[in-house]
Amino acid sequence: MAKLSKAVHVRDPERNRTVLLLPGEEPAPHLAALVTNPDCWEDGKAPGAQDNATKFEEADAVKGGDSEDTEPAARKTAAKKPARGRTTAAEGTSGQ
């Protein structure tokens, strides 16, 4: 397991508290996943970074190729809302 090279504060989602991880510690896997800065690790790689890259490659293979080849989804424009109030000013009459 990877060791930390710097002190890090992370928010533990299980206990809902801030936890201080000290240099030289091997944090629990659920806490190690929260430290994403590679400079904080002794080997310069965040644990699980390789796993995430592999997951994206596998997901891409399941889709059937490069995601760059697909066209972006068409965007639907928002319908204009009718103006509220001041209809007489819009018509050009004095309202009398």
Side-chain angles (χ1 to χ4, degrees), residues 41-85:
W41 298 99
E42 287 184 352
D43 61 356
K45 292 183 183 178
Q50 184 73 1
D51 297 335
N52 289 338
T54 306
K55 289 178 187 177
F56 288 128
E57 290 173 3
E58 290 173 0
D60 193 33
V62 170
K63 284 184 185 178
D66 294 333
S67 59
E68 296 174 2
D69 294 339
T70 61
E71 294 182 19
R75 294 186 181 188
K76 185 177 179 181
T77 58
K80 291 188 176 184
K81 296 181 181 178
R84 298 185 326 181

Side-chain angles (χ1 to χ4, degrees), residues 86-96:
R86 303 211 47 173
T87 56
T88 56
E91 294 173 1
T93 62
S94 63
Q96 296 177 355

Side-chain angles (χ1 to χ4, degrees), residues 10 12 26 73 75 80:
V10 293
D12 187 356
E26 293 181 6
R75 294 186 181 188
K80 291 188 176 184

